Amino acid sequence: MLWWRKITTWCRDHWLALAVFWFVLICVVLTWYGMSKLESFYRNMQLATMPMWILVWVAIGVLNALVYVKIMFGYFSKMDSAKKVKGEQVRVRFDEVIGIEEAKEEAQEVVQLLKDRARLKKVGGKILRGILMEGPPGCGKTYLAKAIATEAGIPFLSMAASDFVQVFVGVGASRVRKVFQNARRQAFANGACIIFIDELDAIGRARTYSAMGGQETDQTLNALLVEMDGLQSREENVVVIGATNASEGVLDPALLRPGRFDRKIYVDRPNLEGREKVFAFYLSKVQVGPDINVGRLARISIGKTPAEIENIVKESALIATREKRDAVSYKDISAAIERVDLGVKHRKSMTEAERRRVAYHEAGHLITLQVFHPTDDVFKASIIARRGSLGVVFHNPREEFHTQGKDKLLADIKVSLAGYVSEKLVFGETSTGVSGDFQHAMGVAHQMVWSLGMGSKYLGDWMMPFGRQTPFSNGNPLLSESVKAELNAETNAIFRTCAEEVEKMLTKERVILDRFANELLKREELEYDEIEAIFSEYGKARAQK
Ligand code: ZN
């Protein structure tokens, strides 16, 4: 009886139009009948005055409506409700979702559950209500949600949670109710419906309980919880998919309780194989030269999301077009990656003394990275100013690592401090250019001691029931002053040892330091091959892997 449901739904959706239609029809028929009974003189008089009356009434009506809207809402622009996208209009197939294979498999399972709901019910299984998609931005969460809707053949209502965050208390909550009402109607007519809420953390943050502000978001969140619980007892098959970049700790625990967003799909950055597929997909849309090797591209783009890879390919096509070539070459893509990562070059006029200082600073970073760093290779060193920095040493891990060991973190600190040490060694003093490096080094050292247990002491001795708070943070009132002092001393010890080691090494390798500084002053930029060539002159080249 789906056609009957469709008709009733249509009538419920358009009841106002139907009512107006019948009203107008009855008025016209009555007028017609009355006029035909009048004498011709009176009929003509009526007809003559009619247009004017219509005009007057329309004017009064419009005026009334304007005043009403102005008084009640004070604005026009925000009156739109959640935008509606029908399932038929989404049309994203699973084969178009690339690079996130694991998440895709889980999504396919969800589609099966949506399709076989009747069977699931017979078996007595748990019915799917809420799915939480979690992962960094640009990895295709929206895309995946759309694919679920398309593959299951059901309507898809999409909105960003920030649409619900309003200035006036209660507006967001009423909007949530409206969206769910709409979804239930769609589900009634089509068998099922998906509500997709992007940026769920905008309303789903742990509730504040403060007297000032936050009430509106809390009310919106409460409305969402109530509506999701309401889905349990109803027959309509509505599934809510929430997407968030934030980790679990940020979301209100109430959202993750059974019956709400209790099923999770991690949409993570693609791995090597995934990146290969993504590159192949986007490169198939542009003309590529013979030197393009998808595997090599995937290797130099560690940690990139599908959206970033798409951006890189588009950027490289632009570069090729600007240089009046028909096909994208490897060099174009490498230039595009550099632009995405490091920003556009700005030529600044610097004095010779300033340039010398920047050159020694970057050369310090460069040599320390080569000597101490266990995982990273230098891809480029440059003393051309970019996005807020005067020079840069661009390095990337050789492979993907998901955890970082102590030696890697120590090397990070050493590399960061090397700019400062080099300036001090050569000029006897340092400049403002080292502040960012210092902050980074200090941050890593602090993290090692305060939260990773990499200091010399055993952290467990200090563990106490800290609740939701990060146990070892400076602001923690439960941490005694003596423990804080001890932790700070450990942090400082790491910091000092690293600086001393770098100073000893750079003093020993002063010849190489001078050489690199001079090369940078002469050529401004050094590429991977050039850097390796210089190191091998001094017998310091890295073993090829
Ligand atoms: Zn630096």
Side-chain angles (χ1 to χ4, degrees):
M1 294 294 272
L2 208 56
W3 61 271
W4 176 244
R5 282 180 165 203
K6 280 203 166 144
I7 289 171
T8 43
T9 312
W10 190 88
C11 290
R12 229 182 286 159
D13 277 353
H14 301 89
W15 66 271
L16 192 64
L18 280 172
V20 169
F21 171 76
W22 283 109
F23 179 72
V24 170
L25 195 69
I26 290 166
C27 286
V28 168
V29 169
L30 281 178
T31 313
W32 195 274
Y33 178 73
M35 290 287 236
S36 67
K37 295 285 173 204
L38 284 178
E39 282 178 39
S40 69
F41 169 73
Y42 290 108
R43 192 156 58 211
N44 286 344
M45 210 168 78
Q46 288 286 339
L47 282 174
T49 51
M50 198 185 277
M52 205 183 68
W53 281 119
I54 293 175
L55 268 181
V56 169
W57 281 113
V58 167
I60 290 172
V62 169
L63 213 68
N64 265 311
L66 278 180
V67 169
Y68 178 76
V69 167
K70 198 88 186 152
I71 290 172
M72 288 305 288
F73 300 99
Y75 52 89
F76 294 93
S77 56
K78 289 199 171 173
M79 284 186 58
D80 59 326
S81 60
K83 59 177 177 276
K84 192 161 32 173
V85 188
K86 287 227 175 78
E88 292 90 340
Q89 290 169 324
V90 177
R91 273 190 212 294
V92 178
R93 293 271 157 205
F94 269 138
D95 9 314
E96 290 167 54
V97 181
I98 32 171
I100 40 173
E101 296 310 317
E102 274 167 49
K104 206 161 106 179
E105 268 167 38
E106 288 187 55
Q108 264 155 345
E109 205 186 302
V110 168
V111 171
Q112 281 307 317
L113 287 179
L114 280 171
K115 280 183 172 165
D116 286 0
R117 190 164 181 262
R119 209 181 64 193
L120 189 74
K121 244 180 154 177
K122 219 181 282 169
V123 182
K126 206 181 72 177
I127 284 153
L128 207 57
R129 287 299 173 207
I131 303 164
L132 186 66
M133 287 191 182
E134 208 184 302
C139 289
K141 292 188 287 285
T142 312
Y143 222 56
L144 196 62
K146 283 183 180 171
I148 291 177
T150 316
E151 295 284 338
I154 54 180
F156 180 79
L157 301 184
S158 136
M159 73 270 319
S162 54
D163 293 348
F164 297 129
V165 181
Q166 297 295 326
V167 184
F168 300 110
V169 175
V171 175
S174 84
R175 211 165 271 186
V176 168
R177 283 191 286 275
K178 220 174 265 174
V179 169
F180 274 80
Q181 209 176 11
N182 192 350
R184 277 198 296 270
R185 216 181 296 146
Q186 294 278 348
F188 181 66
N190 297 284
C193 180
I194 285 179
I195 301 178
F196 178 69
I197 306 178
D198 207 358
E199 311 156 27
L200 184 66
D201 39 300
I203 52 169
R205 277 180 190 282
R207 275 165 285 189
T208 43
Y209 303 112
S210 70
M212 299 287 293
Q215 285 182 35
E216 160 64 4
T217 354
D218 292 356
Q219 275 205 18
T220 312
L221 177 58
N222 286 340
L224 180 66
L225 294 176
V226 169
E227 289 295 333
M228 286 193 77
D229 290 346
L231 293 177
Q232 298 275 8
S233 54
R234 283 175 194 267
E235 272 307 292
E236 286 99 358
N237 192 5
V238 176
V239 176
V240 189
I241 302 181
T244 174
N245 309 329
S247 60
E248 260 165 59
V250 174
L251 289 179
D252 196 294
L255 273 174
L256 307 172
R257 226 169 274 158
R260 292 168 182 164
F261 290 104
D262 54 357
R263 196 185 178 89
K264 275 183 217 103
I265 298 182
Y266 287 95
V267 185
D268 208 355
R269 290 190 178 88
N271 55 13
L272 188 74
E273 204 182 324
R275 287 196 302 277
E276 261 178 48
K277 281 186 189 157
V278 178
F279 261 116
F281 178 79
Y282 287 113
L283 283 171
S284 69
K285 294 179 177 176
V286 295
Q287 290 285 335
V288 291
D291 64 339
I292 293 280
N293 174 347
V294 179
R296 189 170 169 204
L297 292 177
R299 248 172 286 126
I300 62 167
S301 57
I302 285 168
K304 296 267 182 297
T305 65
E308 281 169 326
I309 292 178
E310 185 186 2
N311 194 11
I312 285 167
V313 173
K314 279 183 183 162
E315 191 78 42
S316 65
L318 277 182
I319 294 172
T321 317
R322 198 177 317 126
E323 288 169 14
K324 302 209 166 42
R325 275 182 282 108
D326 302 332
V328 172
S329 69
Y330 176 77
K331 244 188 85 191
D332 297 331
I333 292 188
S334 133
I337 290 178
E338 201 191 303
R339 183 172 296 179
V340 169
D341 280 353
L342 306 177
V344 183
K345 297 169 190 173
H346 299 285
R347 295 224 171 247
K348 284 183 186 154
S349 57
M350 287 192 279
T351 63
E352 205 43 48
E354 258 183 320
R355 285 189 74 226
R356 239 171 81 77
R357 189 185 279 278
V358 174
Y360 268 102
H361 180 110
E362 299 306 332
H365 282 310
L366 172 61
I367 294 165
T368 312
L369 207 118
Q370 181 87 1
V371 174
F372 287 128
H373 212 290
T375 60
D376 284 21
D377 274 341
V378 182
F379 272 82
K380 181 170 217 147
S382 154
I383 56 164
I384 300 176
R386 285 178 173 91
R387 203 197 283 150
S389 70
L390 294 176
V392 71
V393 170
F394 180 41
H395 55 103
N396 241 355
R398 246 166 276 132
E399 287 158 62
E400 290 173 279
F401 296 97
H402 301 290
T403 55
Q404 305 187 333
K406 190 174 177 179
D407 54 342
K408 198 253 168 197
L409 292 173
L410 283 175
D412 275 348
I413 298 174
K414 286 176 199 163
V415 170
S416 290
L417 289 175
Y420 152 80
V421 173
S422 171
E423 281 188 40
K424 214 180 80 173
L425 216 63
V426 178
F427 304 99
E429 46 162 25
T430 60
S431 65
T432 50
V434 301
S435 78
D437 292 339
F438 254 42
Q439 259 171 31
H440 181 244
M442 208 61 209
V444 177
H446 190 271
Q447 193 198 11
M448 282 176 71
V449 174
W450 288 65
S451 54
L452 299 179
M454 288 176 178
S456 58
K457 291 258 166 45
Y458 176 55
L459 271 192
D461 294 345
W462 297 317
M463 280 293 179
M464 277 179 275
F466 287 115
R468 277 172 70 85
Q469 235 171 343
T470 331
F472 293 97
S473 78
N474 242 332
N476 194 330
L478 294 176
L479 217 53
S480 77
E481 289 304 318
S482 66
V483 172
K484 275 188 203 173
E486 234 174 306
L487 289 170
N488 276 333
E490 296 249 329
T491 312
N492 285 337
I494 289 183
F495 209 72
R496 203 175 319 113
T497 322
C498 284
E500 279 164 11
E501 263 182 65
V502 172
E503 188 164 353
K504 217 158 79 193
M505 186 276 294
L506 283 181
T507 317
K508 200 176 124 220
E509 311 291 358
R510 181 63 195 259
V511 188
I512 310 182
L513 183 67
D514 290 335
R515 172 74 191 274
F516 268 110
N518 286 329
E519 291 287 342
L520 277 171
L521 283 170
K522 210 161 54 192
R523 288 194 259 179
E524 293 197 316
E525 284 194 333
L526 294 173
E527 299 285 342
Y528 176 77
D529 299 336
E530 297 167 316
I531 294 168
E532 282 293 301
I534 295 174
F535 274 122
S536 64
E537 274 180 43
Y538 298 92
K540 294 250 182 252
R542 280 214 164 145
Q544 286 295 317
K545 290 193 180 164

